[in-house]
Amino acid sequence: MTASTTQLSLDLVGVFVFALSGGLAAVRARLDLFGVAVVASVTALGGGVLRDTLLAENPPYSLRHWPYLIVPVVASAVVFRWHPQVSRARKLVLVLDGAGLGLFTVTATQKSLEAGLGWAGATMVGVITGIGGGVLRDVLLRQIPVVLQREIYAVAALIGAGLVCLGHSISQLHAPWLIGTALVVFAVRMLALRRHWSAPTPRNLEDQAGG
Amino acid sequence: MTASTTQLSLDLVGVFVFALSGGLAAVRARLDLFGVAVVASVTALGGGVLRDTLLAENPPYSLRHWPYLIVPVVASAVVFRWHPQVSRARKLVLVLDGAGLGLFTVTATQKSLEAGLGWAGATMVGVITGIGGGVLRDVLLRQIPVVLQREIYAVAALIGAGLVCLGHSISQLHAPWLIGTALVVFAVRMLALRRHWSAPTPRNLEDQAGG
Amino acid sequence: MTASTTQLSLDLVGVFVFALSGGLAAVRARLDLFGVAVVASVTALGGGVLRDTLLAENPPYSLRHWPYLIVPVVASAVVFRWHPQVSRARKLVLVLDGAGLGLFTVTATQKSLEAGLGWAGATMVGVITGIGGGVLRDVLLRQIPVVLQREIYAVAALIGAGLVCLGHSISQLHAPWLIGTALVVFAVRMLALRRHWSAPTPRNLEDQAGG
């Protein structure tokens, strides 16, 4: 496989897994078949669509390449038919989801730097791309986005985006640096899951009613 | 009337009816006059704004043509003043809403094909345009989007978008095909309403608590 | 200070205060440190990002100028550490927020007119920019947007956008007019807060259950 075929394949695996996570959440919210497909597609493609919109590269890449649109449909069918099994394979889904997070964040940050954004803007686009699909999924399903509440998820994306910017500023933004960064994001996410790491929450909330 | 005047008039009728549906939902959520106007405008224009953003045709068409901005304001005033009557005319609103769905989906899919998208991307933009306003309405009012939960609504849009792509691929994308497709969307939606058709929902959910 | 330095400073004060309001809401919803930073950033920058997207000026201005991205992070840290004190300074936050509303609405409406939009489109972009961040904040925190429910907030933005369009049409869109308009928005908002003004809500709702 050439480099770009590898990249495409990895990208589609990420899309598939993000779609599985979106589809599972939609099944639990008792949406119908079409609702499951919509939520799965939004979860899988939403981050990339936000990225391309922010970088003024619309129509979004995914809308111009049909495999990106077929993969979420396939994932929806799988979830719809075999959701008890997919649920039971939750650990595998979480592992693949962590890999997707690393991949999407790294490529989006790199794309943003190439589009001329500085480190702060590129980091923001990278994080938005990594967590955007999951945030849209939760908004559609009327949840406060889980990535904003607990677990080191967005922080892993933030670290990845920062490392890509660092690589860029020291002119090391080649394949090894990018792959290494994606692996770091993946490792941080896996460690956070295994050790139940959480970002700190504010103190002194006793005197305030929750929203 | 010329073809484009007809198109504009139909389009504005669709905008008016979508605004009525958004305004009614906002009144039921007890929003104030301004909130009703915002939700009505978002419902009526949201799908088209998403379409133009995805197709990189911003500023959105509706923002460049003032009748599109006045019509939702008029609809809001009507709903605000006469919402019990509008509620009672619910069937008429649903019928006109189905017509709007057909019109918006067909024109958006056609526009996407003209912008160079393939059938998969054009179908997605068509469906997003058709259902986008209603999804935004429900998100603003803190509901899980009703079009994702029950009734054949988005499926009608999907069929319409697919038929436009088919017409394009066999070089038949002229007025009769477009009008026929819009009528098919309308007919599917009306039949679904009358016969209480629903898309299938997943089985084996007994062991999982709803979201 | 030059005019543009003044503008930038005022803009960043507005960003800071909007971020404080977003951060406080996120702390009350018990988000973690990262969630607080995300909600604060979205509240502070969301309106401007919507504006630049609608006006086809992406990448958004804020993503191309790092102070815009640092200020919400600083505001998040302040809220996270001292939220009881920030809560107690609620009146000050509301006053500064009103100033931000005036500033953001006026500059966005002006920018839209310069981009060639008519008065209706420019007014809409101005209002969207002024209230957009707060709407996104509430959607992320699973609230019906407060600006749609009570208090004269969006109406103040609407008046400001209208005055900018009026100034444009009589060729008076110079600094005094713009500053005066921002002050009018601020004054309307302050009066509404002090006198508990609200926009009217619909009557005859007794027979309908709330959404």
Side-chain angles (χ1 to χ4, degrees):
Chain A
M1 286 203 288
T2 66
S4 75
T5 317
T6 312
Q7 162 91 39
L8 179 67
S9 311
L10 285 171
D11 223 27
L12 290 176
V13 169
V15 166
F16 186 76
V17 184
F18 273 41
L20 284 185
S21 104
L24 266 183
V27 162
R28 288 204 183 111
R30 295 168 187 273
L31 300 196
D32 67 24
L33 176 54
F34 191 87
V36 170
V38 170
V39 175
S41 302
V42 167
T43 309
L45 308 176
V49 169
L50 288 173
R51 175 199 65 206
D52 292 347
T53 301
L54 291 173
L55 298 180
E57 295 186 356
N58 276 350
Y61 189 83
S62 55
L63 294 192
R64 285 180 281 121
H65 297 84
W66 60 266
Y68 283 82
L69 302 171
I70 297 300
V71 164
V73 172
V74 173
S76 304
V78 168
V79 169
F80 199 79
R81 177 68 187 77
W82 291 290
H83 60 89
Q85 289 85 338
V86 178
S87 272
R88 251 172 271 139
R90 187 176 159 273
K91 278 198 179 163
L92 179 62
V93 172
L94 279 173
V95 167
L96 291 171
D97 180 88
L101 178 68
L103 187 71
F104 289 170
T105 304
V106 165
T107 52
T109 310
Q110 184 194 10
K111 248 184 143 171
S112 305
L113 290 167
E114 282 166 7
L117 284 183
W119 62 269
T123 298
M124 182 153 276
V125 174
V127 172
I128 288 172
T129 307
I131 74 173
V135 167
L136 290 173
R137 173 197 65 210
D138 292 348
V139 166
L140 283 180
L141 298 177
R142 212 179 43 175
Q143 314 276 343
I144 295 185
V146 67
V147 303
L148 305 183
Q149 281 181 288
R150 50 173 190 269
E151 299 178 354
I152 300 291
Y153 190 92
V155 173
L158 187 63
I159 292 170
L163 283 175
V164 172
C165 291
L166 176 64
H168 182 74
S169 72
I170 59 173
S171 304
Q172 292 298 323
L173 211 53
H174 309 303
W177 188 280
L178 293 168
I179 294 166
T181 301
L183 290 174
V184 167
V185 174
F186 177 68
V188 169
R189 176 71 186 132
M190 288 303 108
L191 275 168
L193 276 177
R194 168 163 278 250
R195 309 217 168 164
H196 301 288
W197 284 347
S198 280
T201 50
R203 297 182 189 183
N204 307 320
L205 272 170
E206 302 78 24
D207 53 340
Q208 295 174 12
Chain B
M1 285 202 290
T2 66
S4 75
T5 317
T6 313
Q7 162 91 37
L8 179 68
S9 312
L10 286 172
D11 222 28
L12 289 176
V13 170
V15 166
F16 186 76
V17 184
F18 273 41
L20 284 185
S21 104
L24 266 183
V27 161
R28 287 202 184 112
R30 295 168 187 273
L31 299 197
D32 66 25
L33 176 53
F34 191 88
V36 171
V38 169
V39 174
S41 302
V42 167
T43 309
L45 309 176
V49 168
L50 287 174
R51 176 200 64 207
D52 292 347
T53 300
L54 291 173
L55 297 180
E57 294 185 355
N58 277 349
Y61 189 84
S62 55
L63 294 192
R64 285 180 280 121
H65 296 84
W66 60 265
Y68 283 82
L69 301 171
I70 297 301
V71 164
V73 172
V74 173
S76 304
V78 168
V79 169
F80 198 79
R81 177 69 187 76
W82 292 290
H83 61 89
Q85 289 85 338
V86 178
S87 271
R88 252 171 271 138
R90 187 176 159 275
K91 278 196 181 165
L92 179 62
V93 172
L94 279 174
V95 168
L96 292 171
D97 181 88
L101 178 69
L103 187 70
F104 289 170
T105 304
V106 165
T107 53
T109 310
Q110 184 194 11
K111 247 185 144 171
S112 305
L113 290 167
E114 283 166 5
L117 285 183
W119 62 269
T123 298
M124 183 152 276
V125 173
V127 172
I128 288 172
T129 306
I131 74 173
V135 168
L136 291 173
R137 173 198 66 209
D138 293 347
V139 165
L140 283 180
L141 299 177
R142 212 179 43 172
Q143 315 275 342
I144 295 184
V146 67
V147 302
L148 305 183
Q149 281 181 287
R150 49 172 190 269
E151 299 179 355
I152 301 290
Y153 191 92
V155 173
L158 186 63
I159 291 170
L163 283 175
V164 172
C165 290
L166 177 64
H168 182 75
S169 73
I170 60 173
S171 303
Q172 293 298 323
L173 211 54
H174 310 303
W177 187 280
L178 292 168
I179 294 165
T181 300
L183 290 174
V184 167
V185 174
F186 178 68
V188 169
R189 176 71 187 130
M190 289 303 107
L191 275 169
L193 276 177
R194 168 163 280 249
R195 310 217 168 164
H196 301 289
W197 283 345
S198 280
T201 49
R203 297 183 189 184
N204 306 321
L205 272 169
E206 303 77 25
D207 53 340
Q208 295 173 12
Chain C
M1 286 202 289
T2 67
S4 75
T5 317
T6 311
Q7 163 89 40
L8 178 68
S9 311
L10 285 172
D11 222 29
L12 289 176
V13 169
V15 166
F16 186 76
V17 183
F18 274 40
L20 284 184
S21 104
L24 265 184
V27 162
R28 286 200 186 116
R30 295 170 187 271
L31 299 196
D32 66 24
L33 176 53
F34 191 87
V36 170
V38 169
V39 175
S41 301
V42 167
T43 309
L45 308 176
V49 168
L50 288 173
R51 176 198 65 205
D52 292 346
T53 301
L54 291 173
L55 297 180
E57 296 185 355
N58 277 349
Y61 189 83
S62 55
L63 294 192
R64 286 181 279 121
H65 297 83
W66 60 266
Y68 283 81
L69 302 171
I70 297 301
V71 164
V73 172
V74 172
S76 304
V78 168
V79 169
F80 199 78
R81 177 70 187 76
W82 291 290
H83 61 88
Q85 288 86 338
V86 178
S87 272
R88 252 172 269 138
R90 187 176 159 275
K91 277 197 181 164
L92 178 62
V93 172
L94 279 174
V95 169
L96 291 171
D97 181 87
L101 178 69
L103 186 70
F104 289 169
T105 305
V106 166
T107 52
T109 310
Q110 184 194 11
K111 248 184 143 170
S112 305
L113 290 167
E114 282 167 7
L117 284 183
W119 62 269
T123 298
M124 182 152 277
V125 173
V127 172
I128 288 172
T129 307
I131 74 173
V135 168
L136 291 173
R137 173 197 66 209
D138 293 348
V139 165
L140 282 180
L141 298 178
R142 211 179 43 175
Q143 314 275 343
I144 295 185
V146 67
V147 302
L148 305 182
Q149 280 181 287
R150 50 174 189 268
E151 299 178 354
I152 301 290
Y153 191 92
V155 173
L158 187 63
I159 292 171
L163 283 175
V164 172
C165 291
L166 176 64
H168 182 74
S169 72
I170 59 173
S171 303
Q172 292 298 322
L173 210 54
H174 310 302
W177 187 281
L178 292 169
I179 294 166
T181 301
L183 289 174
V184 167
V185 174
F186 178 68
V188 169
R189 177 69 187 132
M190 288 304 107
L191 275 168
L193 275 177
R194 167 164 280 249
R195 310 216 168 164
H196 301 288
W197 283 346
S198 280
T201 50
R203 297 183 189 182
N204 306 321
L205 272 170
E206 302 77 23
D207 53 342
Q208 296 173 10

